[in-house]
Amino acid sequence: VQLQASGGGLVQDGGSLKLSCAASGHSFSGYIIAWFRQAPGKEREFVAGIWRDGTKKYYSDSVKDRFTVSRDNAKTTLYLQMNSLKPEDTAVYSCAASRTAILSTIRSSDAYAYWGQGTLVTVSS
């Protein structure tokens, strides 16, 4: 599967953005998909993940209750609605896909074999 993230940009503190991750290739619905982010000088971190059929969603504590992950398997697209953005959310956001991730590994970047190019989100104070 090939992934391409889009939708990043500059937004003010408290604002909103919606990221998209378009997928091409076979059997999009067979993949667990996640968003990761990497801020300057920091390690990549898990943001949100969603199960193959969209019934299970997982979030990092730092974005829970502000971000919502969703997917449209018919459109082979993953989304991340980001509300109440904070300057500390500034990062490059990337989408990733895995056929093998399980509950205990869904937050680990090592579980994902397929990665898209990132999109930059900048939140100004």
Side-chain angles (χ1 to χ4, degrees), residues 34-40 42-49 59-63 66-67 80 88-96 106-109 112 115:
W35 289 99
F36 287 80
R37 69 185 182 185
Q38 188 166 20
K42 295 188 177 181
E43 293 187 354
R44 179 188 289 164
E45 64 172 346
F46 172 82
V47 175
Y59 299 94
S60 68
D61 288 343
S62 61
V63 307
R66 299 188 297 122
F67 291 9
L80 185 68
E88 51 263 43
D89 294 317
T90 295
V92 174
Y93 286 70
S94 301
C95 48
I106 195 170
R107 291 176 171 80
S108 171
S109 60
Y112 296 83
W115 291 82

Side-chain angles (χ1 to χ4, degrees), residues 42-121:
K42 295 188 177 181
E43 293 187 354
R44 179 188 289 164
E45 64 172 346
F46 172 82
V47 175
I50 187 166
W51 213 245
R52 295 174 180 87
D53 59 1
T55 58
K56 299 176 183 177
K57 302 178 182 182
Y58 306 89
Y59 299 94
S60 68
D61 288 343
S62 61
V63 307
K64 192 175 182 180
D65 299 327
R66 299 188 297 122
F67 291 9
T68 302
V69 63
S70 61
R71 65 190 294 167
D72 186 332
N73 285 345
K75 295 182 178 179
T76 65
T77 303
L78 173 75
Y79 303 100
L80 185 68
Q81 177 66 48
M82 305 185 294
N83 299 328
S84 302
L85 282 161
K86 305 174 182 180
E88 51 263 43
D89 294 317
T90 295
V92 174
Y93 286 70
S94 301
C95 48
S98 172
R99 281 196 170 277
T100 60
I102 56 177
L103 180 57
S104 61
T105 64
I106 195 170
R107 291 176 171 80
S108 171
S109 60
D110 290 341
Y112 296 83
Y114 306 95
W115 291 82
Q117 285 187 313
T119 185
L120 176 63
V121 173

